[in-house]
Structure formats: C-alpha cells, structure tokens
Amino acid sequence: MKNWKKAAAMAVTASLCITALAGCGGSSKTEEKTDSTEKKSASDNTLHYQIGVAIDSLNPQLANDGTSFSVLAQCMEGLYTKDEDGNAILAAAESVDKSDDGLTYTFKLRDDAKWSDGSDVTADDFVYAWQTLADPNTGSEYQFFVQTACLLNADDIVAGNKPVTDLGVEAVDDKTLKVTLSSPCAVFESLMTFPSFLPVKRDFAQEAGDNFATSADTILCNGAFKITDYEPSAMTIKAEKNDDYYDAGDVKLDGVEWQVILDNQTAAMSYESGDLDVVTLTGDLIEQYQDDENFSTSQDGYMWYISPNTEIKELANENIRLALAKSFDKEAVTDTLLKDGSTPADYIVAENLAVSPDGTEFRKQAGTYDNWTYDVDAAKEYWSKGLSELGIDSLELELVTEDSDSAQQVAQFLQNEWQTNLEGLTVSIKVEPKKARLEDMQNGNYQLGLTRWGPDYADPMTDLDCFITGSSTNYGRYSNTEYDDTIDSAKYGELALDTEARWNALVDCEKMLADDCVVFPIYQQSIARMISPNVSGIYFYSTGSNYSFKYAEKK
C-alpha cells in the first residue's frame, strides 16, 4: 500500500470514533469463557450487554435485522433452537415425525411449553404466526422464508392468489402441529431456528392490534427470558428470567439489560467502570485492548458490500460498475480502518458458512473473482470505456450509508478512493438512520448503497437468494433469468433433489453475480469483544441470531 494511501486512511480513522458493526442473519460458535480476576464488573446477576443500533422490531414476523433477531432469540423459542455448536435441536417441540418422502413433518409440542403469562404454547400459535408471515398484507421483509422453507402453497399465497389459510401448516390438536411441504427442503430444520418462525399467541396479538410487540405489556415470551422494559427506539431494553420457561432451572442469570451505545469510546468506559459486561470494539480501541486476556475476536458471516442501483442509467453501464468495484483498497478498510479481524472479500457467499456434500467448504471450491479484486489500472480502463459509452466526461453519484460511526468511516474512505482513482467522479455521502437507509434502498431511492447481509441459515442460498428478481433484498434491481431459474430449481425443482448438482449450481450463481458485477463486496465482518472475566457461557453464532445467553452466568 502506498504511503499516501495509509495517510488518507489514518486521516479518516482520526475523524471518527468507530462503533460496533451490527446487522441481520455455516453454524459456527465461539464460547467465551474467562477466569475470575480482580477485573471490575457489574455486580448484580444481570448481564449488561452493549448493542450498536436500536432494536428495529420485536414482532417476530416484522423484525428484519440481526440486533432484533438476537434479542428475540433470548426471549422466545420456536420448534427448534440452536445448540452450542449452532446445530438445530428441538425446543418447543419435544418430537418430530418425518415422512419418508420428506414432505410432511408432524411435531408434538412440549406439554410444559408455556407463555410468560402461564398459558400453554399451542400448535395454533405457530399456525397464526406463519400465516401472518406469509400474508402479503403483513409486509414482512422475510415473507419469502415461507417459500424458502417450501411450505405448501407458499408461492400462491405470497402472490396473493390463495388465502393464508391454505399454507401448509395445520394444528391437528393443541399440541400437534402438521407441516406440509411442496418439495423436500434441505435447510428446513435450520430455517426453523430463525426468529421469523417463532410462535405468536393469536388472541393476545389480535387484542394488542397495531400495538403488538411495542412494549413489555404487549409482548409474550416463551423463552429463557421475558421482556420487562421496552419501547420503540429505546436505548435500554430489559428482560428478566422467565420462570414459566420449561428449562428455567438451567438459566443462571436473573436477567439481561441491552444498552444501545453508538459510540465505542463511551461503551469502553462503561465496561471499565463495570456498568457493561460485554462490549464490541473496533479501530483504535482494538489496539488498546488486544493484549488484554479478556479480549477476543470471532469471524461471523456478515458481508459488507456496495449495492449499485442498476435502474440508474449510469450504473446500468457494466464498465462503470466494474470501475467502481475494482477501485478501492479492501485491505486498507480491514487493516487500517477496522482492525477487528475482518477480512477483505472478493466474494459474496461468506467464508466458513457451509460445506458441500463431499465436505468441501464453499469458498475453497468457488474461490474468488477477478471482477471484484482491487486493481486501479484496470478500474481506470473500465472507467474510460464507461464514460465513452455514456457520452460524458464526468459523473456525480451519491452513496447512502447508515449513521453508525464505522459505516460512515468506511463510506468516507470509499469516497476518497473513488474520487482519487476515477478521474471526473464526484461522490457525495448521504447519512441516514439504518431503518431509513433500508427503506430508501428497498424503494430504489438511492444510487450507491453501503449495506450488509448476515446469513440466516447454514447454506449458500442464504446469500444468493438475496439477488433474485423482485426480492426485497435485491436493492439494486438485478434481473437475470438464468440466475432466477437456477435458484428456483435449487429451492424447489430438480436441483433440490440432487445435492451435488445443487451445490455446483450455487457456485455458478455466485459467478454470475461476479460476471455481471451487480454487487461490490468489501469485507467479511469479524467481531472484537471485551467480556468481563466474571462472565462465562455465552455462545456466539454466525447465522440467524448472533448469540445465546441461556447458559451464561456471572460469578
């Protein structure tokens, strides 16, 4: 890296205090255990945990980000949950009978599965929740999951051609749930650990109406903890041990308090004073703490990338996209700005997410792609061609980013790289709260967007499904018939029945994204943390909800 580039990166670093990277949804786990020392820690038996962004929603069928999903996962359980290694295990269901053809799952719910008001968790709670998820009127960003799970009639219901009552989920009796699929689903059990499939008590939700899940009084929990203090955009969310939880005897904590702290310097000070038990670190704070015995890092599945809006004339030009994708130094982002163990990415399917039927990790088979590598000379050539094709000699573009300090820092670095390396390019930055940024990108009201995606389940499909035509996560409006048909077959068609052919087809799909250059990968996120030496038993995951506090304890 040239000295001037290091200087530019350091200047950006100095301008901002980096905060925690937070998102959405290959199961991997890091168990954080430390020995008791004289380190000061919050003295009560409540876990005090920093999060970097406000909760978007605690309605399971409307939540759409990793922060919300992770809070929900501490307070609610579906048919399955994750063990310490991230594998799907039965939770609210005590048994399951699978048909030989893979199309029918019959679950028996636990007799002692209870809501936090003491009432039984019933099969109808799942029917109501899943029908709500599938209902086009709900407006869930994860509505497509009923299709990913291959639930019977999901396609027609999502399209508005059949009523939600035709969805392949049925309450045979209070404790028996029958699920019918349209085709075998290789990732069904993993999907069932995801918060969108959590149950909701019908009469409670209907009585709450539009206020459902907007306060502690309008939330029912069936997990290890129950929400006691919450309101939209709250900076503090509190939960206490749920004595009605069937496995309450194994829950050691009295409660959890999540604190939304955007500034990591402030969070670190709270950790030092003992007001926080767990904080996330980035940038200069990592250098400050990296030799501490309570410091740790773990790779997760979140991919950060730029989404170009291909409906914009200039960004519909492939050479312009190639120039933008190849003209910024990813190593400078990870090594000079973030310094948290994150890795440069010339790929979009996360590393260490999933393995093939023969045991080959996806990234080792797929490799990386030239269109996404850093190459300023090649970028300049593409830029010149693109401008010539458009009949212009300069271009102004706007990059939208969310308001966390780390995202703004990366955005400023990209702005500097693009304007330095691509003559005639001017990039402005629009900073918005995350929710507003997502809405603008989903509605196509943007040009370039800095965004991220976390894997929801342990399969390459969790990343590749984002880019099918019409998907709410396909911000850039990419449309490729071959790509769509391949993904469709891998989910529901002939490829779904041939695991090896399906795997190879998904490798080809990632290559299509690279060949068309409709997304610009930047890095795969890692998380650096300080965890109080008095705390043990927290499990961190790379898919879906990011952690579990069920077995956490404080000494």
Side-chain angles (χ1 to χ4, degrees), residues 8-9 12-13 15-16 18 21 304-306 328 333 337-338 397-419 425-432 437 448-451 522-523:
V12 176
T13 303
S15 69
L16 290 168
I18 309 174
L21 300 174
W304 282 79
Y305 60 92
I306 295 293
F328 56 87
V333 173
L337 300 186
L338 301 177
L397 293 171
E398 181 181 75
L399 172 64
V400 63
T401 186
E402 60 198 50
D403 56 359
S404 67
D405 283 351
S406 56
Q408 291 185 65
Q409 185 182 32
V410 172
Q412 289 183 12
F413 181 78
L414 292 172
Q415 178 191 45
N416 181 73
E417 288 282 271
W418 282 331
Q419 293 183 156
L425 176 61
T426 302
V427 177
S428 60
I429 297 175
K430 180 180 181 181
V431 178
E432 296 183 315
R437 190 267 296 169
L448 297 168
L450 175 60
T451 188
I522 307 173
Y523 64 93

Side-chain angles (χ1 to χ4, degrees), residues 86-128:
N87 301 311
I89 57 172
L90 291 173
E94 66 179 8
S95 66
V96 58
D97 179 50
K98 307 173 191 177
S99 64
D100 292 340
D101 61 6
L103 298 180
T104 305
Y105 289 71
T106 304
F107 295 93
K108 287 291 184 181
L109 303 186
R110 302 178 61 99
D111 287 335
D112 54 356
K114 304 284 185 181
W115 291 106
S116 49
D117 64 356
S119 61
D120 284 348
V121 175
T122 69
D124 183 66
D125 300 332
F126 288 93
V127 172
Y128 175 72

Side-chain angles (χ1 to χ4, degrees), residues 518-554:
V518 291
V519 57
F520 314 154
I522 307 173
Y523 64 93
Q524 181 169 345
Q525 176 177 296
S526 287
I527 301 294
R529 300 180 181 91
M530 289 295 293
I531 301 180
S532 166
N534 294 338
V535 172
S536 63
I538 300 176
Y539 299 103
F540 295 99
Y541 306 110
S542 64
T543 61
S545 56
N546 302 132
Y547 49 78
S548 172
F549 297 151
K550 178 177 177 178
Y551 298 108
E553 57 182 310
K554 294 178 67 174

Side-chain angles (χ1 to χ4, degrees), residues 173-190:
D173 56 45
D174 280 353
K175 291 293 183 177
T176 306
L177 182 72
K178 181 180 178 181
V179 179
T180 305
L181 308 184
S182 57
S183 62
C185 179
V187 296
F188 179 79
E189 293 181 13
S190 180

